[in-house]
Amino acid sequence: MNEKQSVRLEKVDEYRWLIPREGGMRTDGLVYADERMMGDIKKDQSLQQVKNVAFLPGIVGYSLAMPDIHWGYGFPIGGVAAFDEAEGVVSPGGVGYDINCGVRLMRSGLERTEVQGKIKGIVDALLVNIPSGVGSHRKDLKLDKGQQRKVLQKGAQWAVDQGYGRWEDLEHIEEKGRILDADPELVSHKALERGRAQLGTLGSGNHFVEVGYVAEVYDEGAAGTLGLAKDQVTVIVHTGSRGLGHQVCDDSIRVMLQAAHKYGIELPDKQLCCAPLGSQEGKEYLAAMACAANFAFANRQIITHWVRETFEQVLHIGPSTHRLDLIYDVCHNIAKVENHTVEGRQQRLCVHRKGATRAFPPHHPDVPAAYQEVGQPVLIPGDMGRCSYVLVGTRGAFEETFGSTCHGAGRIMSRHQAKKSAHGRAITKELEAKGIYVRAASMGTLVEEIPEAYKDVSDVVNVVHGAGIGKKVVQLKPIGVIKG
Amino acid sequence: MGYEFLDHTGDLGIRVWAADVKGLFQEAARALFDIITDIEKVEVHVDRKVTVEASTVDELLVAWLSELLYLYEVEGLLFCDFALAEIEEGKVKGVAMGEEFREGRHPIKTSIKAVTYHQLEIKEKDGRWQAQVIFDI
């Protein structure tokens, strides 16, 4: 691996670090972290990646990184960058392979005590009902070409049309579960083939479904608006666009390597290849990316339906008792054209969020009616052994980070280190001793996901809360998890 | 010929060396499947012809590995042996040999999402070829 280059850093305040513009950088970098976290961040090449993003044409404001930043490929994970619609670029590497990998959170009408004793039954049934791991998919969900096209065009709306979930769910999804500019004609045969049997599958790696409960309430008012109270059972679904999204990214990068050359864009790293937003290549990428994003919205919607069915089967209750309502669904890997005010001027910007969450403030028109007074819910999953957080978007985030905040814990150990550290340990037993029942399709991926492989998500969330680019509402703790 | 794994916080990389470019492509493909499964447990029962195109030799390596990953994901094929018929300007022709994934027989160690261009490198030094590739996990 390449030698780590030293990156000049200036501490701005308790939570902010500036990477001053130098060389080919077009702007400064700004990283959100506290002193202790910065010690870890400096150990990998992610700060160099923040610098590299600053090289791209048309970047507006800072090249940003959230406190869960870690070394990605091209953009850092936890990176946010906005580009001017007229002069800027769009980069598939700024979204990543798992397009619209994201998280949704459901609340329930159940208390922790009603579920705890039956958690093994629920988790085992989730693992049966929700396909996870290599090649598994449900026999009752098969799509022909026409239907697959509709999924790409209509996203979660298609899923609801087919009876997966309810119309009210759509109100509580980023973009209402459907990005409108999707053009299935721009999705390759290969991408369609990879996606064909993968709709309604969890996938592996860090993807999961988690049953938990509200462990702490920080903001009673906002929690009440989100319908959350202490000890209430919740469910998180974390997955993305699966092989279809990976292939869309792969296909697009090949196009963009040529395009960057054609438009004379100098790249510090090939993975940052990009094209002007106004170019055909740029527009086509966004339209293909929208298809993959819609596939991911549909995927999470279908899985949500199966989560509800699982609770009904195992607990012998109906929807009016479990009341598994969708609180919100956010994208973690996406590029979107949005309106922002920069230095007092309204601008149309393409905001890339790679391992970052949109965090729009109260009264923003894109925030659902029910949350207008508190802001957009932001869902921050942690590792499977500790906790997760629900935040809301803030005015501070809108002004400083193009309405963006962190997305999770962020890895601290490589997968190899994690495997070594887990060697000889019974990970599922350790977690069970902590009251968390975990089942995984593959033990291989489970050991890569041990809790200590991640930063403590509480540290990450405390930084964004302290910096004012997100506001803590509740903390969730897991009691049952399925992993891919 | 040989390969080693490189540690990367989020993902995983390989460093591969061989006497020539063909060998490099073979070893990189073996390393890919060694990450996914226990390659010693894969037998040769089927083969697939693989042809890919790209404008430079490093992009060609990514295209070759991506195609193998595609065959694994769509057809469930695990490969353990590779023969490269030709590598010419912008094109690779080869055969990948292996068998279909079987639950219980083939452990899945790690799932790879994609082959990236990040810090991608192919170079010749003192008559030996070396490459570095990072995968998105």
Side-chain angles (χ1 to χ4, degrees):
Chain A
M1 215 133 288
N2 295 8
E3 285 308 302
K4 194 165 72 72
Q5 292 146 296
S6 87
V7 171
R8 198 150 65 88
L9 268 177
E10 288 171 11
K11 189 169 177 177
V12 179
D13 60 25
E14 204 181 337
Y15 303 114
R16 290 170 183 81
W17 303 75
L18 192 83
I19 303 176
R21 179 178 170 179
E22 61 181 16
M25 290 169 74
R26 294 168 194 259
T27 183
D28 296 331
L30 186 67
V31 182
Y32 290 82
D34 61 23
E35 186 97 37
R36 200 170 51 82
M37 295 174 95
M38 187 49 84
D40 282 327
I41 295 168
K42 280 186 195 160
K43 287 181 192 156
D44 69 22
Q45 296 181 34
S46 49
L47 294 174
Q48 182 62 41
Q49 294 188 312
V50 176
K51 282 182 73 174
N52 289 348
V53 171
F55 278 63
L56 299 179
I59 187 165
V60 175
Y62 297 110
S63 167
L64 294 160
M66 299 298 131
D68 44 346
I69 179 176
H70 62 268
W71 187 10
Y73 37 88
F75 273 57
I77 313 295
V80 175
F83 297 87
D84 181 82
E85 196 182 31
E87 290 161 19
V89 293
V90 59
S91 172
V95 174
Y97 289 92
D98 199 354
I99 295 166
N100 189 8
C101 182
V103 177
R104 57 169 53 190
L105 174 68
M106 283 174 267
R107 59 178 170 245
S108 78
L110 304 167
E111 289 249 329
R112 179 187 173 189
T113 47
E114 296 173 81
V115 170
Q116 192 107 47
K118 293 165 184 152
I119 194 64
K120 287 190 178 175
I122 293 172
V123 169
D124 291 347
L126 284 170
L127 200 65
V128 171
N129 290 342
I130 301 166
S132 326
V134 183
S136 71
H137 61 98
R138 295 241 316 212
K139 305 283 179 282
D140 57 351
L141 178 62
K142 267 200 180 137
L143 303 183
D144 61 31
K145 284 225 165 79
Q147 288 166 314
Q148 206 182 11
R149 213 184 131 86
K150 287 220 169 71
V151 172
L152 304 184
Q153 276 170 332
K154 296 179 72 183
Q157 288 183 16
W158 176 87
V160 173
D161 270 341
Q162 304 300 307
Y164 297 99
R166 325 168 190 136
W167 281 106
E168 347 27 310
D169 294 340
L170 299 176
E171 276 302 309
H172 289 181
I173 305 176
E174 191 167 329
E175 302 294 324
K176 296 191 165 65
R178 176 188 188 182
I179 298 182
L180 290 172
D181 320 320
D183 182 356
E185 294 300 318
L186 298 170
V187 173
S188 70
H189 172 73
K190 272 185 156 176
L192 293 173
E193 274 301 300
R194 280 180 81 169
R196 206 162 49 85
Q198 292 188 345
L199 189 66
T201 67
L202 195 57
S204 59
N206 58 358
H207 295 154
F208 63 81
V209 175
E210 179 181 298
V211 181
Y213 66 95
V214 177
E216 293 265 1
V217 176
Y218 306 103
D219 183 331
E220 289 281 352
T225 304
L226 268 50
L228 287 170
K230 198 161 162 51
D231 285 326
Q232 185 180 353
V233 168
T234 54
V235 180
I236 302 174
V237 176
H238 178 206
T239 187
S241 52
R242 311 284 289 105
L244 183 131
H246 309 163
Q247 190 67 42
V248 166
C249 180
D250 203 50
D251 293 340
S252 307
I253 284 178
R254 276 176 220 199
V255 172
M256 292 298 190
L257 283 169
Q258 307 296 326
H261 183 69
K262 175 173 149 191
Y263 297 106
I265 301 168
E266 267 184 61
L267 301 171
D269 180 349
K270 271 193 174 182
Q271 193 73 29
L272 293 176
C273 60
C274 53
L277 278 153
S279 69
Q280 191 184 344
E281 292 91 340
K283 286 178 186 160
E284 289 189 354
Y285 168 66
L286 283 173
M289 183 212 72
C291 290
N294 289 344
F295 183 96
F297 283 133
N299 196 24
R300 291 197 287 275
Q301 183 65 30
I302 292 166
I303 290 173
T304 296
H305 179 68
W306 292 335
V307 167
R308 289 171 175 153
E309 283 189 344
T310 303
F311 272 73
E312 287 159 21
Q313 283 165 13
V314 177
L315 301 178
H316 307 290
I317 53 175
S320 60
T321 309
H322 67 59
R323 299 211 314 273
L324 282 162
D325 297 331
L326 183 57
I327 291 182
Y328 205 59
D329 177 313
V330 292
C331 313
H332 283 168
N333 292 342
I334 199 88
K336 288 205 290 202
V337 178
E338 297 168 350
N339 291 319
H340 288 276
T341 307
V342 183
E343 290 165 1
R345 198 164 61 90
Q346 268 277 340
Q347 263 183 288
R348 295 276 290 167
L349 303 176
C350 181
V351 183
H352 292 61
R353 298 189 181 94
K354 171 144 178 225
T357 315
R358 195 184 75 176
F360 279 178
H363 308 300
H364 189 285
D366 291 344
V367 175
Y371 309 134
Q372 275 288 312
E373 295 306 315
V374 294
Q376 178 213 307
V378 175
L379 317 169
I380 313 294
D383 61 77
M384 60 186 167
R386 280 181 279 216
C387 58
S388 299
Y389 286 89
V390 181
L391 283 70
V392 282
T394 59
R395 180 60 43 197
F398 202 63
E399 283 163 6
E400 258 186 63
T401 56
F402 307 103
S404 314
T405 195
C406 63
H407 88 305
R411 286 193 79 91
I412 196 167
M413 260 187 211
S414 72
R415 285 160 214 273
H416 177 69
Q417 284 172 315
K419 271 187 175 157
K420 245 168 61 183
S421 160
H423 185 74
R425 285 163 51 187
I427 300 301
T428 50
K429 286 249 159 56
E430 282 178 27
L431 289 165
E432 220 172 313
K434 289 169 72 180
I436 307 160
Y437 181 64
V438 180
R439 290 281 312 274
S442 150
M443 283 309 290
T445 51
L446 187 72
V447 297
E448 292 177 355
E449 294 291 318
I450 51 170
E452 62 265 38
Y454 286 88
K455 294 180 195 177
D456 187 341
V457 69
S458 302
D459 295 340
V460 171
V461 165
N462 286 338
V463 169
V464 299
H465 182 85
I469 57 167
K471 193 170 156 216
K472 283 204 284 193
V473 180
V474 302
Q475 182 198 59
L476 309 172
K477 284 204 164 151
I479 51 177
V481 185
I482 65 163
K483 296 283 273 184
Chain B
M1 288 218 290
Y3 57 83
E4 62 182 357
F5 299 127
L6 302 168
D7 246 4
H8 182 293
T9 332
D11 302 304
L12 186 66
I14 52 169
R15 184 174 292 128
V16 188
W17 55 91
D20 55 18
V21 179
K22 276 186 188 174
L24 209 54
F25 276 56
Q26 284 168 347
E27 278 304 293
R30 279 186 63 83
L32 171 73
F33 284 95
D34 201 7
I35 293 172
I36 296 172
T37 187
D38 180 353
I39 199 167
E40 301 299 326
K41 296 218 166 84
V42 181
E43 294 174 0
V44 175
H45 297 293
V46 293
D47 53 66
R48 283 284 181 281
K49 278 187 189 150
V50 178
T51 305
V52 292
E53 292 178 23
S55 48
T56 61
V57 67
D58 54 348
E59 289 170 23
L60 210 48
L61 181 60
V62 173
W64 157 252
L65 296 174
S66 299
E67 186 65 19
L68 296 170
L69 195 60
Y70 173 78
L71 290 169
Y72 162 61
E73 205 171 296
V74 172
E75 297 188 31
L77 296 174
L78 293 167
F79 300 110
C80 59
D81 202 6
F82 307 87
L84 272 287
E86 58 178 78
I87 295 187
E88 55 183 42
E89 190 89 343
K91 196 175 190 177
V92 169
K93 272 186 180 175
V95 179
M97 292 158 273
E99 64 176 319
E100 229 171 276
F101 164 74
R102 270 195 285 154
E103 188 91 52
R105 175 173 165 76
H106 301 122
I108 296 301
K109 293 196 287 191
T110 302
S111 297
I112 295 179
K113 283 181 192 159
V115 185
T116 81
Y117 296 85
H118 176 55
Q119 296 185 349
L120 176 65
E121 209 174 70
I122 290 192
K123 61 186 178 197
E124 189 191 2
K125 205 182 160 192
D126 307 325
R128 194 174 87 148
W129 283 82
Q130 194 178 304
Q132 173 179 289
V133 186
I134 293 170
F135 301 111
D136 181 18
I137 306 284

